[in-house]
Amino acid sequence: MILTHALYKILDNITMQEGKKNWGQNSYGAANGNDPSGWQQPLKFYCDDDAIDVLPIAFLTTFFGVGGKPQINLANYCNSVDNATFPGTNLANCQNIAPDIKYCQNKGKLITLSLGGATGGVGFQSDDQASAFADTLWNLFFGGTSDTRPFGDAILDGVDLDIEGGGPNYYITFLNKLDTYFKAADKKYYVTAAPQCVYPDANLQATLNGYPFDAVYVQFYNNPCGLQNFNTASQWNFGIWDIWARTISPNPNVKVYIGAPASNSAAGGGYVPADTLTNIAIKTRDSFPSFGGVMFWDASQAYKNGRIDAALKNALKSGKKCDNSFTYPACSAPAWVSGNGYSGGSTVSYNYMWTAKWYASSAPSGDVNGDWSPVSACSGSGGSATTTTTKASSTTSTTTTSKSSTTTTTVSTTKTTTTSTKTSTTTTATATSTNSCSGVPAWSSTASYVAKDKVTYQDSLWQAQWWTYNDTPGGNNTVWVKLGSCSATLAARSLQNSIHDSNCKHHLRWNSVKAYRAGSKVIYK
């Protein structure tokens, strides 16, 4: 990912196409030690740029270090070897980065914390340990309090799981506990993950199947399913991740990002040039409703490689939609027929469009070891010229339960309800609100309210328990009960942050920290 540790995400914008980069790992510097001109810059440097929407700070590399505290390693900007640590710990004191974090947040960027990485000392031995670690992170990096906060009074916007070792157990417990803090807070927090493209992911799949992530940044590099094999049906598997997103994830509106190396030196395999990646991203966006955008590893590599990130961001602006909708392409391939045999490379329609990996006679399914690869979601029954447009919901599930860590290699597809006429078959879907506060009036000090009246105040939804007048929600009274945050999901947020879209009537996104003159026009929702 392109954080500044090296993660960077590009939001294009169907529902969540944005740019994301990791910051903190100085990937270019690690691969090109003799060229300091391309080394990682301060976090603030990457925020005066609309190509970047999310910057995960990477990495928190050790969960339980000296003194029971975690450890962070931000390469050339802060680490436990070159910088001061809090007494009795190996937790680096990086409070000099706090102003940069706040600066970026004021620019509308999300600054999250990425856990793990390829060399991370991570993992849990019990539910109690996982729950305690959630307490620790809340107090060190989010809305809690501690004398050992690495970024001082800066409050990060969420957590990203880049777990590449240490076992798969107890992460749902960890996230559920962290979620109790997030839901009670006045601000919106986001939870994302960065699995390998190989499905199922060895370390994260059980957690992905049991917790409603806002987005997943699938690493399509350093793997046989990487971008280098986009045109090979037996390898490229974005379609399997789309099936997971739509039928298995507890959040059916989760967005799936193409994780890409930002240059040749960013990864051991999977790099493709900007024009090739552009074609892949646009084709994937137009084929799968779960597509969210592109994630780059990492920021330093992207800047040194001719701003490949900006090239992708600009390319994805073309064809994106301000109404958050996805147009299902027609199931133009012939319908799959039971009893027929199909040679490798044949394409059929069967709820999705599928390409045979090799000779195939079985029915297409989401079995990753099966004979077929899903190459596009589609509308119709096969050979149809009908297309369907549906609004993509960005509502996020809020209730989760712990599940077994056992994973499976089979994904089930779900038949879509259809309506037929003599001339066409059309798939339909119901749109849902992107914001639980839609249509709810803002609280007013001059209005009176009765029991069960709802209002919005400071980005939260409140309900009155009895008659009230001039009692501020959240103040020194008990009349108002907070029902939740009004903040849109990460998917909807990307739409709000869309800018300079040639298909939009107006070209400026609304910014909560900016004042506007009368008559100004903005994009919001």
Side-chain angles (χ1 to χ4, degrees):
M1 304 173 197
I2 292 181
L3 294 176
T4 290
H5 111 289
L7 211 124
Y8 164 72
K9 191 173 51 183
I10 286 188
L11 290 181
D12 139 57
N13 185 54
I14 277 187
T15 46
M16 179 178 169
Q17 287 134 31
E18 63 184 297
K20 171 181 175 292
K21 293 180 186 169
N22 282 335
W23 180 90
Q25 290 304 293
N26 189 28
S27 174
Y28 184 84
N32 302 274
N34 295 324
D35 183 14
S37 67
W39 289 6
Q40 175 176 267
Q41 299 298 308
L43 182 63
K44 180 179 179 180
F45 173 83
Y46 300 99
C47 293
D48 288 321
D49 189 333
D50 283 319
I52 300 172
D53 298 287
V54 182
L55 282 159
I57 294 178
F59 285 111
L60 187 151
T61 57
T62 302
F63 286 4
F64 304 99
V66 176
K69 298 295 184 183
Q71 294 175 208
I72 55 176
N73 183 348
L74 311 184
N76 59 324
Y77 270 91
C78 192
N79 60 77
S80 59
V81 175
D82 301 317
N83 299 87
T85 57
F86 292 100
T89 78
N90 278 341
L91 179 60
N93 186 336
C94 308
Q95 295 185 4
N96 61 309
I97 297 176
D100 282 22
I101 293 172
K102 296 176 184 178
Y103 178 86
C104 292
Q105 290 171 329
N106 286 335
K107 287 284 187 177
K109 315 299 184 185
L110 291 180
I111 309 298
T112 63
L113 179 66
S114 189
L115 311 183
T119 60
V122 301
F124 303 112
Q125 300 302 313
S126 67
D127 284 318
D128 288 345
Q129 192 181 51
S131 182
F133 186 62
D135 296 335
T136 297
L137 290 198
W138 173 253
N139 288 320
L140 294 184
F141 298 100
F142 304 115
T145 59
S146 173
D147 293 330
T148 56
R149 288 178 64 88
F151 304 132
D153 61 352
I155 299 175
L156 300 182
D157 296 303
V159 65
D160 175 69
L161 302 189
D162 187 354
I163 307 303
E164 301 182 27
N169 298 324
Y170 307 111
Y171 281 96
I172 294 177
T173 299
F174 161 68
L175 292 175
N176 280 341
K177 181 59 179 293
L178 201 56
D179 210 33
T180 62
Y181 290 116
F182 287 173
K183 289 177 180 175
D186 291 331
K187 67 175 288 180
K188 171 68 179 177
Y189 290 93
Y190 301 93
V191 180
T192 60
Q196 305 296 307
C197 60
V198 176
Y199 188 95
D201 183 275
N203 294 288
L204 279 171
Q205 200 64 53
T207 308
L208 292 170
N209 294 352
Y211 182 86
F213 286 85
D214 291 293
V216 293
Y217 312 128
V218 181
Q219 298 182 45
F220 287 100
Y221 51 92
N222 294 336
N223 285 295
C225 44
L227 288 157
Q228 75 278 10
N229 287 322
F230 174 74
N231 291 316
T232 304
S234 60
Q235 300 291 350
W236 179 254
N237 67 348
F238 189 97
I240 292 294
W241 284 100
D242 182 76
I243 293 173
W244 167 82
R246 299 170 64 195
T247 66
I248 295 178
S249 168
N251 175 14
N253 304 300
V254 62
K255 290 300 165 183
V256 180
Y257 285 72
I258 294 176
S263 76
N264 255 324
S265 63
Y271 173 74
V272 294
D275 56 348
T276 302
L277 182 58
T278 294
N279 291 334
I280 292 172
I282 291 175
K283 184 172 182 178
T284 305
R285 177 192 66 185
D286 295 343
S287 299
F288 297 105
S290 70
F291 175 79
V294 177
M295 172 276 284
F296 281 109
W297 178 267
D298 70 348
S300 63
Q301 297 276 7
Y303 269 67
K304 194 63 176 177
N305 188 23
R307 291 306 307 277
I308 187 174
D309 57 319
L312 263 291
K313 180 77 170 187
N314 290 332
L316 286 172
K317 288 177 184 176
S318 176
K320 70 182 179 182
K321 300 178 180 180
C322 287
D323 65 353
N324 208 24
S325 65
F326 174 78
T327 299
Y328 283 81
C331 293
S332 55
W336 174 81
V337 177
S338 177
N340 283 3
Y342 297 88
S343 60
S346 300
T347 301
V348 300
S349 297
Y350 188 74
N351 302 322
Y352 276 71
M353 285 191 284
W354 307 77
T355 295
K357 300 176 184 177
W358 38 71
Y359 177 82
S361 58
S362 61
S365 75
D367 183 353
V368 295
N369 297 313
D371 298 333
W372 298 91
S373 175
V375 294
S376 179
C378 65
S379 167
S381 57
S384 169
T386 302
T387 60
T388 300
T389 300
T390 63
K391 273 275 183 93
S393 164
S394 58
T395 303
T396 301
S397 302
T398 57
T399 302
T400 60
T401 56
S402 296
K403 295 186 178 181
S404 169
S405 61
T406 301
T407 58
T408 178
T409 58
T410 301
V411 184
S412 298
T413 57
T414 301
K415 289 188 177 180
T416 305
T417 302
T418 61
T419 58
S420 301
T421 67
K422 292 182 180 180
T423 57
S424 66
T425 302
T426 303
T427 304
T428 60
T430 301
T432 58
S433 173
T434 61
N435 191 323
S436 62
C437 297
S438 297
V440 180
W443 174 80
S444 171
S445 62
T446 60
S448 61
Y449 302 92
V450 297
K452 297 186 178 181
D453 280 352
K454 294 180 180 178
V455 299
T456 60
Y457 182 71
Q458 292 187 345
D459 198 35
S460 294
L461 179 65
W462 303 82
Q463 185 174 61
Q465 298 190 81
W466 50 77
W467 184 91
T468 175
Y469 175 81
N470 199 26
D471 290 314
T472 305
N476 296 323
N477 62 77
T478 58
V479 62
W480 292 103
V481 175
K482 182 178 176 181
L483 300 180
S485 172
C486 290
S487 296
T489 63
L490 191 52
R493 186 183 192 278
S494 68
L495 182 65
Q496 296 166 7
N497 285 351
S498 302
I499 60 171
H500 306 304
D501 181 0
S502 60
N503 294 330
C504 298
K505 185 180 294 185
H506 312 307
H507 297 291
L508 293 175
R509 68 182 180 191
W510 176 79
N511 189 317
S512 62
V513 299
K514 183 176 180 180
Y516 297 91
R517 292 180 299 177
S520 298
K521 297 178 180 180
V522 299
I523 297 172
Y524 181 72
K525 298 184 181 178

